[in-house]
Amino acid sequence: MSLATEPAPIAPAKARLPLSVYILALGTFCIGTSEFMLAGLLPQLSAGLGVSISRAGLLITAFAVGMTLGAPLMTLVTLRLPRRATLLGAALVFSAVHLLPLAFDGYAAVLVGRVVAAVACATYWAVGAVIAVRLAGPEHTARALAAIVGGLTLANVLGVPLGTWIGERSGWQAAFVAVAIATLAVTLVLRLMIPRQPHDAATPMRVLVRREVAAFGDRRLWLALATTATFQAAVFACFSYLAPLLTEVSGIPESRVPLVLLLFGVGTFVGVTIGGRYADRDPLLNVFLSLGTMVLALLALVTLAGSAVGVVIATFLFGATSFSIAAALNGRVFGFAGDAPTLAASVNVSAFNVGNAAGPWIGGLVLDAGLGLRAPVWAAIVLALVSLSIASASWRLERGGRPACPDAAPATCA
């Protein structure tokens, strides 16, 4: 009789993400609808508020600035609070501020509302990402984050075209009200479906902060954040002024713009699905491939802008390539942060929104300089190349010396 014993069976990795992760994505659907639909509503906002297109575009910048500053600030303020309560509170505030234009008139009121909504949005993003990763497990970090970003792609497929359609027919205020109602409904679902999360209420605040800040001693994290910021600036430099390009250069009727934005949304869904499936295998390679193909898509967009058919195809490709990178960017930050990811996740939100703020601003500068409606696309190409050069520095640092990453999951360790 053999003395060898059978090895203990190894529990298989979870093949599917928990349903609660996809419930969290419903919140990012509402957030993404609010954030992205302003690009489609710029003509209505400009006319309704009595400001120029470039000044209306600053509402997008204001939202991004609010998220940039609000993400790390609210993370520190809520560090000892229960995560689920923080998530639900952020969603409720986000819903409420979308009703401000009904009570107050003028550009200033809308501007203040966008900043407050952005702070609530940043809180939801940072806390929701941490909850999603905890629910999914370390072996599915990038997939869980891709699912959360998938809420944005759904926003581009359904929310943004629908919000633009409502805004064109009933006024931009009606689109804001629709976002408020949808967010309130999602908050109720979140309350029922998201389990309570463990939190550390006993550890002194200074210890919690020190633990979260420790990750920022890693140069790889800073390069990853810089890649995020410049990449996102490229996306928003182009996307923020896509509607005027479609109507004025491509000759597409204003009533058809929501359909083109819908196709952009379909592209983002394709991109985040493909990127999410492969980002856990090699996040840095995913970053390189996504940036390179996005540059090609932007070149196609600026070249084919005079053709209605060509610009529609290029818009789809732009959507696909601009979202295929999302899971890898987020997953790399979580991998470098180790066991204290909350502040790193929030700073990554800030990095995304540094790009969200800089992109429309840079696009507005080249427009105001009289360089034409193609100029924001050229600006986006330059920014994407800058992001690619930063990713190259990451490649040299990470692939050259092969730094150790013992605390991170293998899939997210570069």
Side-chain angles (χ1 to χ4, degrees):
M1 184 177 68
S2 173
L3 297 178
T5 58
E6 291 292 332
I10 299 175
K14 289 177 284 187
R16 295 183 179 180
L17 295 176
L19 177 61
S20 51
V21 173
Y22 296 104
I23 298 300
L24 286 165
L26 291 176
T28 58
F29 165 78
C30 296
I31 288 169
T33 298
S34 175
E35 184 174 5
F36 284 95
M37 75 178 182
L38 257 67
L41 292 175
L42 278 186
Q44 290 79 19
L45 284 163
S46 174
L49 297 173
V51 296
S52 66
I53 286 286
S54 60
R55 188 166 174 79
L58 288 178
L59 293 172
I60 303 174
T61 300
F63 190 92
V65 169
M67 286 194 69
T68 302
L69 301 178
L73 175 62
M74 293 304 297
T75 293
L76 294 176
V77 168
T78 63
L79 202 54
R80 295 180 66 180
L81 297 178
R83 285 197 176 99
R84 188 179 71 160
T86 303
L87 184 84
L88 297 176
L92 286 173
V93 171
F94 187 80
S95 174
V97 296
H98 278 78
L99 300 177
L100 280 180
L102 299 181
F104 303 96
D105 293 327
Y107 181 82
V110 178
L111 187 66
V112 170
R114 296 309 289 171
V115 173
V116 176
V119 173
C121 172
T123 306
Y124 184 96
W125 260 114
V127 177
V130 173
I131 292 175
V133 170
R134 288 187 181 276
L135 292 172
E139 72 276 15
H140 293 312
T141 293
R143 280 189 63 193
L145 294 171
I148 298 297
V149 176
L152 292 183
T153 69
L154 185 62
N156 282 292
V157 173
L158 298 177
V160 172
L162 182 59
T164 305
W165 181 81
I166 292 173
E168 288 177 348
R169 281 154 181 78
S170 303
W172 60 267
Q173 296 95 332
F176 276 50
V177 171
V179 170
I181 295 172
T183 305
L184 181 59
V186 168
T187 305
L188 297 176
V189 178
L190 287 169
R191 173 67 178 78
L192 296 173
M193 298 296 296
I194 300 299
R196 294 183 183 275
Q197 299 295 305
H199 71 287
D200 193 346
T203 304
M205 187 69 171
R206 64 181 181 277
V207 176
L208 292 176
V209 172
R210 191 182 306 124
R211 186 186 302 164
E212 295 283 344
V213 170
F216 292 89
D218 192 334
R219 284 185 299 163
R220 298 171 301 168
L221 178 59
W222 287 106
L223 286 172
L225 293 172
T227 304
T228 295
T230 49
F231 153 77
Q232 194 73 354
V235 173
F236 266 70
C238 176
F239 183 79
S240 298
Y241 302 97
L242 187 58
L245 178 74
L246 295 174
T247 56
E248 301 297 327
V249 177
S250 306
I252 295 175
E254 187 174 305
S255 60
R256 299 293 179 88
V257 170
L259 295 177
V260 181
L261 295 180
L262 172 62
L263 192 60
F264 174 86
V266 173
T268 65
F269 179 79
V270 172
V272 79
T273 300
I274 295 174
R277 287 186 179 277
Y278 294 100
D280 275 318
R281 301 181 185 179
D282 194 332
L284 187 54
L285 181 60
N286 178 286
V287 168
F288 263 93
L289 292 176
S290 295
L291 285 172
T293 53
M294 191 179 80
V295 169
L296 296 177
L298 288 168
L299 286 170
L301 184 62
V302 76
T303 302
L304 301 173
S307 164
V309 175
V311 80
V312 168
I313 296 172
T315 298
F316 170 81
L317 295 175
F318 174 47
T321 55
S322 64
F323 270 70
S324 62
I325 195 175
L329 291 175
N330 285 290
R332 278 166 55 76
V333 168
F334 268 82
F336 298 145
D339 294 331
T342 308
L343 185 60
S346 70
V347 174
N348 198 42
V349 171
S350 296
F352 271 105
N353 286 280
V354 165
N356 289 352
W361 176 66
I362 293 171
L365 283 180
V366 295
L367 277 179
D368 290 341
L371 299 178
L373 289 170
R374 284 184 173 88
V377 187
W378 284 113
I381 292 170
V382 172
L383 289 166
L385 291 174
V386 171
S387 187
L388 196 56
S389 69
I390 296 172
S392 298
S394 293
W395 187 283
R396 289 193 297 272
L397 176 64
E398 298 170 26
R399 300 298 166 92
R402 282 286 181 182
C405 189
D407 295 327
T412 55
C413 178

